[in-house]
Amino acid sequence: MINNYLKLQYKLLTRHFKATGLPIAIAPLLLLGVCYLAYYLLLQYPVFGSYALLLSNFQLLFLLTEKNRNDFLKNTFSKKDFYTIRLLENGIVILPTIAIFIFRGLWLYNVALIVLAVIFAFLVFKTFGKSVPTPFAKKPFEFIIGFRKSYLLILVLYFLAAIGFYVTNPNLVLFCIAAIALTSMFYYQLPEPVFYLWNSRETPTRFLLHKFRRGVLQCLLFTLPLLLTYAFIFSSGWFNALIVLGGILFLLPFAITLKYVAYPREINFPEGFALALCFSFYPLILALLPFYYFKAIKNLKNYL
């Protein structure tokens, strides 16, 4: 039974990958490329790279604890098989990061990640439906769904930021703010149903600008309290706070633009590659944003 379940999950993953238009043989190479990139970033930024890897694994493990999914597994498998599957899934998810930490000799992080994976195998969160209240209005919907899928990560980042303020570590605070903003960008990966756009009376330009405005305001609800506190406590580093704020003001609209370039499908490899380029060389966004903006406007004319 467990083998059949794992084969089914593998088949689902391959179908998702084939939907990107790339041959399945590319998948291992892409995984190796992502692992190498993570390893390279870890070399460049040892402390914050380790935090980023731990937090990204934390979010992935959290997503696997979703209640409906776990209820299905509990109803399908025996108790022993259920926990075996959960431990296997968590082990597979953290395996690339474990390998990277071993190469870097970060044994403490490895232990922390393994403990986290074991603990999450026994946890279930009924959080991805309507049970968690959010401070966001119903339209647009991205922050409502995204927040319910990542609220635990947001809480952890706020907790780390509080530690950063307490121990007077401005870099840790900035890292947490940037991580919250980056998490917000991933909320735009999910496309809305086409009839939502059909019901809209706005032009493509006004529709996209509305998305920009609401997205930035909603992201600032998360980040602005931390940014203002940072600027007040670490007044000499206000310029760093401005750089992070500039990242939010440009990168979030860029992520929204990529969503509507890809629409009605999800953001895939080509758009993800463009986003990765901007992360690696931020000024590039000044050239790419107008280019993708007009592509998104052209695509939206088919639906609005």
Side-chain angles (χ1 to χ4, degrees):
M1 282 288 282
I2 295 178
N3 285 339
N4 290 336
Y5 173 77
L6 294 176
K7 286 177 183 174
L8 178 64
Q9 294 305 309
Y10 174 75
K11 189 169 286 187
L12 287 172
L13 279 176
T14 54
R15 283 181 180 173
H16 279 301
F17 189 81
K18 286 177 181 173
T20 64
L22 296 172
I24 193 66
I26 300 291
L29 297 176
L30 277 178
L31 180 62
L32 283 174
V34 171
C35 289
Y36 177 77
L37 181 64
Y39 182 75
Y40 176 77
L41 292 175
L42 201 56
L43 285 176
Q44 301 298 314
Y45 310 100
V47 177
F48 294 128
S50 303
Y51 288 165
L53 278 176
L54 273 179
L55 289 170
S56 59
N57 279 270
F58 178 92
Q59 175 62 18
L60 289 174
L61 293 171
F62 175 58
L63 289 176
L64 291 176
T65 63
E66 198 268 331
K67 185 177 184 303
N68 291 334
R69 177 181 174 280
N70 281 274
D71 283 347
F72 169 76
L73 290 176
K74 285 179 180 175
N75 292 331
T76 307
F77 299 98
S78 66
K79 193 173 181 180
K80 180 184 174 184
D81 286 349
F82 167 74
Y83 287 114
T84 304
I85 287 172
R86 291 293 294 110
L87 287 168
L88 273 173
E89 285 179 333
N90 287 3
I92 292 169
V93 164
I94 66 170
L95 195 58
T97 306
I98 291 287
I100 292 170
F101 282 156
I102 288 174
F103 273 112
R104 290 287 296 139
L106 300 170
W107 304 106
L108 188 61
Y109 287 99
N110 256 344
V111 172
L113 188 53
I114 291 169
V115 170
L116 201 63
V118 173
I119 291 173
F120 270 63
F122 295 91
L123 297 178
V124 173
F125 291 92
K126 48 180 181 181
T127 56
F128 302 166
K130 298 179 180 177
S131 55
V132 177
T134 78
F136 309 114
K138 289 183 178 179
K139 295 178 183 179
F141 67 97
E142 289 89 349
F143 267 74
I144 298 174
I145 296 176
F147 177 75
R148 286 174 174 153
K149 288 184 176 180
S150 64
Y151 77 96
L152 200 56
L153 178 66
I154 300 292
L155 286 175
V156 169
L157 287 167
Y158 258 83
F159 179 69
L160 284 176
I163 292 176
F165 286 125
Y166 182 73
V167 300
T168 323
N169 186 339
N171 291 331
L172 178 59
V173 178
L174 281 182
F175 168 81
C176 292
I177 298 170
I180 291 172
L182 183 62
T183 303
S184 303
M185 288 172 210
F186 282 102
Y187 295 169
Y188 287 89
Q189 192 178 9
L190 182 69
E192 60 264 59
V194 174
F195 64 84
Y196 279 26
L197 271 65
W198 288 346
N199 286 332
S200 175
R201 295 178 180 178
E202 295 178 328
T203 63
T205 303
R206 288 184 59 184
F207 176 83
L208 210 50
L209 291 178
H210 173 69
K211 284 278 186 176
F212 289 172
R213 186 172 64 253
R214 291 301 298 269
V216 169
L217 286 175
Q218 288 172 328
C219 184
L220 288 178
L221 274 179
F222 284 150
T223 55
L224 199 57
L226 291 176
L227 277 171
L228 291 176
T229 310
Y230 175 93
F232 178 74
I233 294 179
F234 308 113
S235 54
S236 60
W238 62 269
F239 185 69
N240 294 330
L242 277 183
I243 291 176
V244 174
L245 182 62
I248 294 170
L249 296 180
F250 280 97
L251 281 173
L252 192 70
F254 188 55
I256 296 170
T257 302
L258 290 177
K259 171 183 174 177
Y260 290 105
V261 168
Y263 194 83
R265 63 172 171 80
E266 291 183 15
I267 289 177
N268 264 331
F269 180 73
E271 297 82 22
F273 184 70
L275 199 56
L277 278 179
C278 287
F279 279 129
S280 58
F281 185 61
Y282 182 65
L284 193 61
I285 198 170
L286 297 175
L288 290 183
L289 182 56
F291 172 73
Y292 281 102
Y293 172 79
F294 287 113
K295 283 190 72 172
I297 293 291
K298 184 179 179 183
N299 190 32
L300 280 171
K301 286 179 180 175
N302 297 319
Y303 306 99
L304 290 171

